[in-house]
Amino acid sequence: MTLPEILKALNLEAENAGVSTGNEYNGGTAAKLASYTPVTGQLIANASGATAAEYNKVIDKAQAAFLEWKTWPAPKRGEVVRQLGDELRKYKEPLGELVSYEMGKSLREGLGEVQEMIDICDFAVGLSRQLYGQTMHSERPNHRMYEQWHPIGVVGIISAFNFPVAVWSWNAALAWICGDVCVWKPSEKTPLTAIACQKITANVFKRNGVPEGVSCLVNGGAEIGKLLAEDIRIPLVSATGSTRMGKSVAVATAARLGKSLLELGGNNAIIITENANLEIALTGTVFGAVGTAGQRCTTTRRLIIHESVYDSVKNKLISAYKQLKIGNPLDDSIHVGPLIDQDAVANYMNAIEQVELQGGTFVVEGGKLSGVGFESGCYVKPCIAEVENHYAIVQHETFAPILYLIKYSTTEQAIAMQNAVPQGLSSAIMTTDMRQAELFLSAKGSDCGIANVNIGTSGAEIGGAFGGEKETGGGRESGSDSWKAYMRRQTNTINYGNEVPLAQGIKFEF
Ligand code: NAD
């Protein structure tokens, strides 16, 4: 589809209201957020952002909506989310294409992101009948104890540019079936995809009589994210982005004893052992290192290679990188698209300089691309450097396709290196030796939230809990029992006897 066709299919205009409570209020008078596609550098459209007063209006509406929404039976809420999944199936193509245009990831990845939204809707529908609490035996006679999970309230969702739609849906679909209402502050770099999602959702909600304010959007920059983090009316803020942002949100929510669910930066490594199937290892590595132009939280950044296969892996990677095609991500034959903007290119160039200054050697050179097809100034070459794990630049997440090669001799040493970074998101070991695999997965192994065997670090299935430790923030989203973060737990005790047994045998006379 052409860009005008995509915008038309998604009901988007040149100027779009970026603040919304659903159908009744669509506005925003703060400075416009211009959305430039990194594919061509062209201005796609403008979105309006929220002022502090408009933000407050949205939260008031969300609070009022919560009072009604929480009384809907969970399976009925699930039915609405089921219909949202169906609607997303209908809009998969234009929405996936808009994700590619606005963010710069490949069309397949853009469509894949919308598929993740559909998948989490399906998951949430089933979950809406499984919000189980436990029952336990009371120590007192004729008493029954159990726990229930209740909706928590307004959930603030702050999202990053690199997954402009999927991460919101991971949070929103679960929060809605749990009985919460959502206020979404998307990345200021991808305001249009967020408006498209809000419009799709508003239509489904309207059809079902869902109260105005259950799905809210507040476009804007970090200042709007800060309002959410500091807002006492918001019991849970789920924030996805850099560790710098997460530390700020964690402090602001903790200062008011609110909750935060943090999904922050990664510095993911694959260990390639002497027992690895090299074909699997290399496929996982190249996909993980250059996919989304190195702009995934789960991107493979470090390759920790056994000394006996080091040269062979290095040479195969050099030859694989020679075959990479860089260019327009909407062209199916292209492997690597652009970075999000020119600031990201500057960070990439700075990291390359630091690698050399700190003692690293490039075996595949990087650099910025220019000329026909690269007019946006956002295209760079994926590169590979030989380094040591302790270099300051290696310890840092650079959001670009730079892969570091590190040599090791024992499995214990490799695991220690894999863990010796501040972040703890995704990790992998390539081995056909069961003992090495089990060691990696044991308490003596990877310290990450995700640990894989013979699969790369990149990507995840929505059925598992997604997230990581240390500077990755400790949050878990999506599958397994992540839904519990969006609810409050209540312990109930019922006395069905004729006596009130008090602790320490205390008795009152009446
Ligand atoms: P970013 O931190 O610059 O921005 C993310 C969001 O936070 C944006 O909406 C931004 O406006 C907002 N924000 C920034 N400062 C804020 C503050 N002080 N208070 C409140 N909100 C604030 O991140 P980015 O460049 O958009 O995304 C890339 C980063 O996100 C990478 O570090 C990547 O690893 C991480 N990420 C992590 C996950 C995960 O699940 N762990 C997923 C995707 C991206």
Side-chain angles (χ1 to χ4, degrees):
M1 289 169 102
T2 61
L3 185 58
E5 284 168 347
I6 293 169
L7 298 182
K8 190 161 175 244
L10 293 168
N11 202 13
L12 295 168
E13 322 268 336
E15 303 284 324
N16 295 280
V19 184
S20 155
T21 58
N23 288 295
E24 277 173 24
Y25 171 63
N26 287 292
T29 57
K32 295 269 183 274
L33 301 171
S35 178
Y36 293 95
T37 168
V39 179
T40 59
Q42 179 197 348
L43 177 72
I44 307 183
N46 282 310
S48 56
T51 60
E54 285 158 350
Y55 163 85
N56 276 322
K57 182 173 170 178
V58 168
I59 303 298
D60 285 347
K61 199 75 185 169
Q63 276 193 304
F66 176 60
L67 297 180
E68 185 188 332
W69 182 239
K70 70 177 177 180
T71 67
W72 284 41
K76 203 174 159 208
R77 297 190 295 249
E79 165 56 20
V80 177
V81 171
R82 186 193 66 72
Q83 292 179 34
L84 176 61
D86 279 351
E87 201 77 350
L88 288 166
R89 284 178 171 89
K90 279 192 226 153
Y91 285 99
K92 183 173 173 180
E93 199 189 330
L95 186 57
E97 289 204 33
L98 183 65
V99 168
S100 297
Y101 261 111
E102 194 174 39
M103 187 274 159
K105 58 175 65 179
S106 75
L107 181 53
R108 261 184 231 181
E109 287 175 310
L111 293 170
E113 233 194 288
V114 182
Q115 187 58 47
E116 277 190 34
M117 301 172 82
I118 295 166
D119 293 344
I120 196 73
C121 286
D122 288 352
F123 182 86
V125 177
L127 198 56
S128 70
R129 292 179 185 270
Q130 300 172 72
L131 302 174
Y132 301 138
Q134 311 223 48
T135 63
M136 51 286 282
H137 288 264
S138 170
E139 64 187 30
R140 290 164 284 187
N142 301 326
H143 281 58
R144 185 163 75 83
M145 272 178 87
Y146 68 104
E147 61 185 21
Q148 299 186 79
W149 293 88
H150 290 307
I152 202 171
V154 182
V155 174
I157 303 170
I158 298 172
S159 60
F161 78 84
N162 66 328
F163 276 92
V165 292
V167 167
W168 163 73
S169 70
W170 289 4
N171 283 280
L174 294 198
W176 284 327
I177 61 102
C178 289
D180 302 326
V181 302
C182 297
V183 178
W184 181 17
K185 206 299 281 174
S187 166
E188 55 275 42
K189 295 175 185 174
T190 53
L192 275 193
T193 46
I195 294 170
C197 292
Q198 174 71 352
K199 287 191 170 182
I200 293 169
T201 307
N203 282 339
V204 176
F205 280 19
K206 191 177 181 187
R207 271 204 313 264
N208 284 277
V210 172
E212 180 82 11
V214 171
S215 176
C216 299
L217 178 68
V218 279
N219 262 302
E223 73 288 351
I224 299 292
K226 284 182 189 161
L227 288 180
L228 279 171
E230 287 165 5
D231 198 331
I232 195 124
R233 296 169 293 180
I234 302 184
L236 172 68
V237 177
S238 173
T240 302
S242 59
T243 295
R244 180 184 40 76
M245 176 279 292
K247 284 182 177 169
S248 161
V249 169
V251 169
T253 48
R256 59 178 176 87
L257 300 184
K259 291 183 189 174
S260 58
L261 194 169
L262 302 173
E263 295 286 355
L264 312 174
N267 191 351
N268 319 295
I270 296 179
I271 297 172
I272 301 187
T273 69
E274 67 279 30
N275 300 306
N277 172 327
L278 286 191
E279 209 178 307
I280 291 180
L282 287 159
T283 308
T285 301
V286 177
F287 177 74
V290 310
T292 328
Q295 301 172 106
R296 284 184 177 215
C297 50
T298 53
T299 290
T300 307
R301 310 210 177 274
R302 297 176 296 139
L303 205 55
I304 303 172
I305 313 165
H306 190 264
E307 56 193 4
S308 64
V309 291
Y310 185 89
D311 286 338
S312 152
V313 169
K314 179 171 89 177
N315 292 333
K316 284 183 198 307
L317 279 175
I318 292 171
S319 106
Y321 268 52
K322 280 191 189 134
Q323 295 159 43
L324 290 177
K325 288 194 200 143
I326 307 165
N328 186 328
L330 291 136
D331 172 345
D332 223 18
S333 68
I334 293 293
H335 302 111
V336 187
L339 293 182
I340 183 71
D341 56 21
Q342 298 195 14
D343 286 349
V345 175
N347 285 339
Y348 158 89
M349 295 301 286
N350 178 53
I352 288 179
E353 199 182 315
Q354 286 303 315
V355 169
E356 282 169 340
L357 282 174
Q358 291 172 28
T361 312
F362 279 92
V363 296
V364 174
E365 295 287 337
K368 181 179 163 180
L369 292 161
S370 56
V372 180
F374 304 126
E375 289 85 354
S376 71
C378 298
Y379 291 86
V380 300
K381 288 193 239 168
C383 56
I384 305 179
E386 294 183 289
V387 298
E388 288 188 33
N389 197 54
H390 62 81
Y391 292 177
I393 190 67
V394 176
Q395 297 279 311
H396 173 82
E397 178 199 44
T398 302
F399 223 49
I402 305 175
L403 179 65
Y404 299 125
L405 306 187
I406 302 156
K407 199 183 281 185
Y408 79 88
S409 12
T410 67
T411 312
E412 287 73 14
Q413 190 190 16
I415 292 172
M417 278 199 275
Q418 130 67 34
N419 291 345
V421 289
Q423 310 82 357
L425 182 52
S426 186
S427 61
I429 192 165
M430 299 290 177
T431 183
T432 50
D433 181 331
M434 184 262 265
R435 283 166 302 187
Q436 279 176 332
E438 291 292 340
L439 178 65
F440 184 71
L441 301 177
S442 76
K444 290 187 278 182
S446 165
D447 65 359
C448 291
I450 298 166
N452 296 331
V453 176
N454 296 328
I455 301 177
T457 59
S458 183
E461 289 186 31
I462 60 110
F466 181 83
E469 304 301 331
K470 303 192 290 186
E471 284 199 353
T472 303
R476 291 297 184 278
E477 279 174 1
S478 183
S480 185
D481 64 353
S482 302
W483 60 270
K484 289 180 176 170
Y486 304 86
M487 303 200 86
R488 64 184 170 86
R489 184 196 307 242
Q490 185 177 68
T491 303
N492 306 119
T493 311
I494 298 164
N495 177 1
Y496 58 90
N498 294 316
E499 287 175 10
V500 182
L502 295 178
Q504 287 111 32
I506 293 172
K507 283 199 174 131
F508 294 109
E509 301 291 336
F510 296 106

